[in-house]
Amino acid sequence: MTEITRVPLQPIAKGAIGKLWLGVVLAVALGGAVAFETRQKGLEVVTVKAGSGATPGLSDVVEVNYVGYLANGKEFDRGEHAGIPVEGVIPGFSKALQQMQKGGKYHVVIPARLAYGAKGVTNPQTGEVSIPGNADLTFDIELLDYKSAAELMRERAMIQRLQQQMQGAGSAPGGAAGGTVPQ
């Protein structure tokens, strides 16, 4: 039978266990503080009513109903059936839109760094500050629909062609389509 080599254990120095536990407590506290800070600074998208289907991409245009609030509850913006390019808004709003599905309703909290940052927003006509610097923003958003930019361009071109055809028909003698005069 083989014998296992024995290594004698050295005694633990007085106070070493206390220091070890203190290190564990500090590591846990530091980890909790980092997690809390990360949560406080991150974009929050809460699904109020689930939608369905795919999510919009950066090059899409969305049709949304939304209301924007400051941290004190003051409404600063509202839009109904607003056609908005996903890449044409503040970074936090854009990132939130890319997580939504058609028909869904969402509550979104955007930290200042993903909104207007330290500069805020001032109304150029009145000089009134509508969004103060370093303000976190809250939005209630309903995603009604979205389309790609290419699809919208095709639709606009088709509408323009139809309008031109209607204008051409209206200028025919007698105002009838095709230039024929009713008898």
Side-chain angles (χ1 to χ4, degrees):
M1 183 168 189
T2 44
E3 187 174 321
I4 300 174
T5 306
R6 295 178 188 203
V7 178
L9 293 175
Q10 297 295 322
I12 298 174
K14 188 173 186 177
I17 293 195
K19 290 177 185 176
L20 179 65
W21 277 110
L22 181 61
V24 169
V25 168
L26 286 175
V28 168
L30 182 61
V34 168
F36 179 78
E37 185 66 21
T38 300
R39 184 185 174 286
Q40 294 296 89
K41 297 291 183 181
L43 174 68
E44 294 180 42
V45 179
V46 178
T47 302
V48 175
K49 176 187 165 205
S52 61
T55 59
L58 195 57
S59 63
D60 291 334
V61 177
V62 296
E63 184 178 341
V64 294
N65 291 334
Y66 71 91
V67 181
Y69 302 96
L70 297 173
N72 64 7
K74 179 183 175 191
E75 182 180 317
F76 67 87
D77 196 11
R78 175 181 293 268
E80 293 186 11
H81 299 284
I84 300 172
V86 174
E87 65 184 341
V89 293
I90 58 174
F93 202 91
S94 177
K95 288 178 182 184
L97 288 171
Q98 293 176 71
Q99 296 178 37
M100 298 179 183
Q101 297 173 304
K102 286 182 187 179
K105 292 184 179 182
Y106 303 88
H107 182 77
V108 178
V109 179
I110 302 173
R113 67 180 172 79
L114 294 175
Y116 295 100
K119 64 183 177 184
V121 176
T122 303
N123 184 327
Q125 296 169 341
T126 64
E128 178 186 350
V129 175
S130 54
I131 301 174
N134 295 317
D136 294 340
L137 306 178
T138 301
F139 287 91
D140 291 321
I141 304 170
E142 178 182 16
L143 178 60
L144 304 171
D145 197 5
Y146 70 91
K147 296 180 180 180
S148 69
E151 189 177 349
L152 284 174
M153 294 295 282
R154 284 191 299 271
E155 288 179 4
R156 287 181 184 152
M158 185 171 34
I159 290 170
Q160 287 177 345
R161 283 193 301 273
L162 289 172
Q163 288 175 339
Q164 290 171 351
Q165 289 173 354
M166 291 177 70
Q167 288 174 351
S171 63
T180 59
V181 179
Q183 296 291 329

